[in-house]
Amino acid sequence: MIGLTTATQPTTTSTSTSTTTSSTTTSTTSIPIPITLASGQSNPIGIAVYSGNVYWTDQSSGVGTGTIESVPIGGGSITTLANNLYGPTGIAVYNGNVYWSDQNNPGTIEYVPVGGGSNTVLASGQDDPFGIAVDGGNVYWVNRGSSGTVDSVPIGGGSVTVLTSGQAYPTGITVSNGNVFWTDQGTPGNVVECSLASCTPITLATGRSDPQSIVTYGSDVYWVDSGSSGSMSYVPIGGGSVTTLASGLNFYGIATDGTNIYWTNSTNTGAVYSIPIGGGSISVLASGQNSPFGIAVDGTNVYWIDRIGTVEQIVK
């Protein structure tokens, strides 16, 4: 498994479609072709980028064969940071450590230094842990099992705190400015917020169709719905009117750099898109993908998982 590098990215054409008028306008522009940073992966899921490297979870082909992998953003050799895992899914990188959720039964929350070393288990006995997020003091995650909890643990280890329970099927999670936000794929689907100081859940949006990944920027919360009425929307932190920025696609991953929102269209004819954070024309960054899933962004590039077994990169 080798990372690929090029001195100059090749180009192809892409369409930009306006969603701000009743008629559709399409223009064709030249864009780079994606670079494959890693291939031959068995079942990659989550992705993160940090300090010149891309990190991802790979559930592999069976119980006890999952791994945490990394590769330089410029391409190169793949490094396995952790192995013999059961179902690594969510991933986050903070202050020199890689954190992930492992859907073993019971599940765990673990971390390993970005340069490699021994795994440290922060929480065990978890009930189908999935999405994960980190801030300066704690690691946060959702348990999708019957308990339906949102939990936290100190970043250096300690007691697990159940922030709230009774969620139907919490999936994505993010943390910002003293609040934690998550998506709940129950019926109806919800986008929920609570204060870390005293978690009383506030439903920011309801009646959603299979809400998945979630991010925040500024005073707003952004998420994607991946059901039959797929969309990408935002709502003010604390509550307010929901604004839909894009619809009509099978959305999954979402990321932002503060200027644009990026997302994956996770179908067998998948694509990667962007839109200005305040709304505007949708740009196709990459098309003809197999099943793009998790997505991450840094100052220069967009990175995503293709469930067929690759890790891809394209310049923004």
Side-chain angles (χ1 to χ4, degrees):
M1 296 180 289
I2 303 174
L4 305 177
T5 60
T6 58
T8 303
Q9 255 180 328
T11 61
T12 185
T13 58
S14 175
T15 58
S16 178
T17 303
S18 174
T19 60
T20 58
T21 64
S22 57
S23 61
T24 300
T25 59
T26 303
S27 62
T28 302
T29 57
S30 178
I31 64 168
I33 294 172
I35 290 174
T36 300
L37 294 176
S39 60
Q41 304 300 293
S42 296
N43 190 14
I45 303 285
I47 188 170
V49 60
Y50 172 85
S51 191
N53 290 281
V54 181
Y55 302 85
W56 67 95
T57 54
D58 192 330
Q59 293 188 342
S60 196
S61 56
V63 172
T65 60
T67 60
I68 307 298
E69 310 282 355
S70 73
V71 69
I73 61 173
S77 299
I78 294 171
T79 300
T80 299
L81 298 176
N83 54 23
N84 300 323
L85 305 175
Y86 285 79
T89 303
I91 189 169
V93 188
Y94 182 83
N95 198 28
N97 291 311
V98 185
Y99 301 83
W100 69 91
S101 57
D102 194 331
Q103 292 179 288
N104 185 15
N105 187 18
T108 58
I109 303 298
E110 305 184 38
Y111 76 88
V112 68
V114 294
S118 299
N119 303 7
T120 298
V121 176
L122 291 174
S124 58
Q126 300 304 296
D127 188 10
D128 193 14
F130 200 77
I132 190 170
V134 185
D135 66 10
N138 296 283
V139 183
Y140 306 88
W141 67 96
V142 292
N143 278 314
R144 300 199 304 178
S146 59
S147 60
T149 61
V150 180
D151 300 82
S152 71
V153 70
I155 203 166
S159 298
V160 172
T161 298
V162 178
L163 298 175
T164 191
S165 60
Q167 303 298 295
Y169 201 62
T171 299
I173 188 170
T174 190
V175 61
S176 176
N177 295 324
N179 296 291
V180 62
F181 309 84
W182 66 92
T183 55
D184 190 329
Q185 291 180 292
T187 304
N190 295 319
V191 178
V192 189
E193 167 191 352
C194 80
S195 169
L196 295 174
S198 178
C199 185
T200 300
I202 301 169
T203 299
L204 300 176
T206 191
R208 311 310 301 178
S209 178
D210 198 17
Q212 295 271 0
S213 304
I214 185 170
V215 297
T216 63
Y217 181 76
S219 59
D220 296 309
V221 185
Y222 300 79
W223 74 94
V224 290
D225 293 332
S226 66
S228 58
S229 302
S231 62
M232 191 271 287
S233 307
Y234 72 90
V235 68
I237 292 172
S241 299
V242 173
T243 300
T244 297
L245 294 177
S247 61
L249 299 168
N250 186 13
F251 298 81
Y252 184 77
I254 188 172
T256 184
D257 58 5
T259 301
N260 297 292
I261 301 290
Y262 305 86
W263 72 92
T264 52
N265 177 24
S266 187
T267 67
N268 289 331
T269 55
V272 178
Y273 298 89
S274 71
I275 191 172
I277 200 164
S281 296
I282 297 172
S283 296
V284 181
L285 299 181
S287 59
Q289 302 298 294
N290 288 279
S291 185
F293 215 61
I295 189 170
V297 62
D298 63 13
T300 304
N301 301 304
V302 182
Y303 311 85
W304 67 93
I305 294 292
D306 195 314
R307 295 298 300 276
I308 199 174
T310 64
V311 177
E312 305 288 339
Q313 173 205 78
I314 200 165
V315 68
K316 293 194 291 189

